[in-house]
Amino acid sequence: MIKIFPFLLLFLLSINLEAQENEFKLISGVYKSSREFKSGQPSYELIGKIIEVESPSLGVFKGKSSIQAYKFDVTSKEEKKMYNKQIGRIFGFSDGESLYVSSYRCLDCFINEQVYFKVNYIGNKYAYFEAYFPRDDIRGMNGGDEIVVLSLETGKKFPLTKGWIKKNLKEKDSSLYEDFKKEKSKYDVLKQYLIKLDKKY
């Protein structure tokens, strides 16, 4: 039987408590803004259902994506009108276990018209999720999948790119920056380096 000295036990317990304190606690509800999300104070109760979108489609984008998308579903037309009128545009919502946020590419969508994506990681300063975006006939974009960074400080969402990772690693951690430069397939490790960068805070 392994014996643990009292001071060692206290040390281990303190580490565990610190880890628990740093974990982001999700509160169920509808968040009107990133400020509400960060403070853990949603404006509205989550009454509707979170459903999976079978055929991903945003605007004129009718292609299929491997990324699972979700919608906030209410049962009647009256409820939809009420939600659109009273709630309107939102930052996202949570069921207490997962956080769902909209793509930064669809800023003028109402709660029942928007497609949402499940956040994969919530850290100290950043979170990220995978999303797809529509073809833009005006800008000539083809549409596709992307990794989106969510800043927990500002609430801003932006694509995770090699350029962004390189810039931030170079400014904040030269060792990680050198490791990243040696990676053969940099796009495949973007999420890993975002998490490593986040844990530096």
Side-chain angles (χ1 to χ4, degrees):
M1 183 176 179
I2 300 173
K3 292 183 178 179
I4 299 178
F5 294 102
F7 71 87
L8 180 58
L9 180 61
L10 287 171
F11 174 71
L12 292 172
L13 283 172
S14 67
I15 291 176
N16 187 47
L17 286 172
E18 184 180 352
Q20 288 178 359
E21 286 173 4
N22 288 336
E23 289 180 0
F24 205 99
K25 293 179 176 62
L26 288 171
I27 307 297
S28 176
V30 177
Y31 297 93
K32 282 284 290 179
S33 66
S34 58
R35 184 178 298 177
E36 286 186 10
F37 167 67
K38 192 176 178 183
S39 65
Q41 297 178 329
S43 287
Y44 300 92
E45 183 183 350
L46 188 68
I47 298 174
K49 296 184 297 182
I50 300 171
I51 60 171
E52 295 182 356
V53 178
E54 294 182 3
S55 301
S57 176
L58 276 175
V60 293
F61 176 51
K62 301 295 182 183
K64 291 186 177 180
S65 170
S66 60
I67 296 169
Q68 183 61 60
Y70 301 83
K71 276 196 172 185
F72 183 82
D73 184 56
V74 290
T75 54
S76 69
K77 291 182 179 179
E78 289 73 20
E79 285 177 317
K80 287 181 181 180
K81 287 179 182 178
M82 180 194 72
Y83 266 86
N84 284 340
K85 186 177 180 181
Q86 291 186 5
I87 299 181
R89 301 175 183 88
I90 67 167
F91 168 80
F93 50 83
S94 172
D95 56 6
E97 295 182 2
S98 300
L99 174 67
Y100 302 83
V101 296
S102 61
S103 168
Y104 66 99
R105 295 178 183 272
C106 191
L107 300 177
D108 59 346
C109 296
F110 288 104
I111 183 169
N112 299 116
E113 300 169 346
Q114 176 63 282
V115 174
Y116 300 86
F117 303 96
K118 186 184 289 188
V119 173
N120 302 93
Y121 168 82
I122 302 176
N124 298 314
K125 188 174 180 180
Y126 300 112
Y128 81 78
F129 61 96
E130 296 175 344
Y132 58 78
F133 62 93
R135 185 177 75 241
D136 189 328
D137 291 332
I138 298 174
R139 297 177 188 173
M141 296 172 66
N142 294 320
D145 298 347
E146 63 185 348
I147 305 164
V148 181
V149 178
L150 166 62
S151 169
L152 298 178
E153 291 184 336
T154 65
K156 291 183 178 178
K157 292 174 277 190
F158 50 90
L160 178 60
T161 63
K162 290 184 286 186
W164 185 89
I165 280 288
K166 284 177 68 175
K167 178 179 180 293
N168 282 269
L169 289 177
K170 190 173 183 179
E171 290 175 358
K172 296 169 176 118
D173 194 307
S174 58
S175 177
L176 278 177
Y177 174 68
E178 293 301 322
D179 290 343
F180 182 72
K181 288 200 302 183
K182 295 173 186 175
E183 297 284 354
K184 291 182 179 179
S185 183
K186 292 181 172 56
Y187 186 80
D188 293 336
V189 296
L190 289 179
K191 292 180 286 188
Q192 296 174 30
Y193 277 86
L194 175 68
I195 293 171
K196 289 178 181 179
L197 180 65
D198 183 78
K199 288 182 177 178
K200 290 291 178 180
Y201 293 96

